[in-house]
């Protein structure tokens, strides 16, 4: 059995699991807090399986949207409560500091547009919601 076959079997098993919606919800929540978590890939994969008669597309959308909204609110709450202390601890590297500086400047200048663009910028979503 090849590695590719094993991976495809694992993905198929997860996509047919009753836990799929809870997994997608959890990934979406954590994605706003942990930058490298690939929730988009999992949601797109679930959508592909839904197109072939797999999981319910409406439940996928509800789980992903609700998880993303809750994750963004948690991130916003952390940023609001702990402010600069939290950002200072997170931004130990120059790259992370630049992401937070960019987010702050973009929000002050372009508010809503910055929120939309940040969704597609690596690390931008977390920086903007914090």
């Amino acid at each position: 059995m090849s590695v590719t076959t094993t991976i495809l079997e694992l993905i198929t098993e997860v996509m047919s699991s009753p836990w799929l919606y809870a997994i997608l919800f959890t990934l979406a929540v954590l994605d706003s807090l942990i930058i490298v978590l690939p929730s988009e890939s999992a949601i797109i994969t679930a959508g592909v399986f839904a197109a072939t008669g797999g999981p319910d597309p409406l439940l996928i959308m509800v789980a992903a949207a609700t998880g993303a909204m809750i994750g963004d609110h948690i991130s916003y709450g952390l940023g609001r409560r702990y402010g600069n202390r939290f950002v200072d601890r997170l931004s130990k590297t120059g790259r992370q500091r630049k992401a937070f500086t960019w987010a702050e400047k973009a929000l002050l200048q372009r508010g809503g547009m910055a929120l939309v663009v940040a969704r597609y910028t690596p690390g931008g979503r977390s920086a903007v919601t914090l």
Side-chain angles (χ1 to χ4, degrees):
M1 182 177 286
S2 72
V3 173
T4 304
T5 304
T6 305
I7 292 171
L8 289 174
E9 287 174 357
L10 176 64
I11 291 171
T12 303
E13 190 174 317
V14 170
M15 291 300 148
S16 62
S17 168
W19 289 96
L20 173 66
Y21 308 110
I23 292 168
L24 292 176
F25 172 82
T26 303
L27 282 173
V29 168
L30 294 176
D31 187 34
S32 71
L33 302 170
I34 304 169
I35 295 172
V36 296
L37 207 61
S39 69
E40 292 88 357
S41 300
I43 294 165
I44 290 169
T45 302
V48 169
F49 274 80
T52 61
D56 184 349
L58 181 60
L59 291 178
I60 291 171
M61 288 186 284
V62 168
T66 305
M69 184 177 65
I70 289 172
D72 286 348
H73 278 80
I74 291 170
S75 182
Y76 174 78
L78 289 171
R80 181 138 172 102
R81 180 167 173 94
Y82 297 106
N84 290 331
R85 286 186 302 152
F86 191 70
V87 171
D88 288 341
R89 285 189 178 198
L90 282 178
S91 59
K92 292 181 181 176
T93 68
R95 182 175 179 200
Q96 290 170 330
R97 169 60 65 197
K98 286 179 186 177
F100 284 111
T101 302
W102 170 84
E104 184 178 24
K105 183 179 176 185
L107 282 171
L108 290 173
Q109 293 176 348
R110 294 179 198 86
M113 182 58 78
L115 290 172
V116 173
V117 171
R119 301 289 284 177
Y120 303 102
T121 306
R125 176 181 176 198
S126 298
V128 167
T129 54
L130 274 173

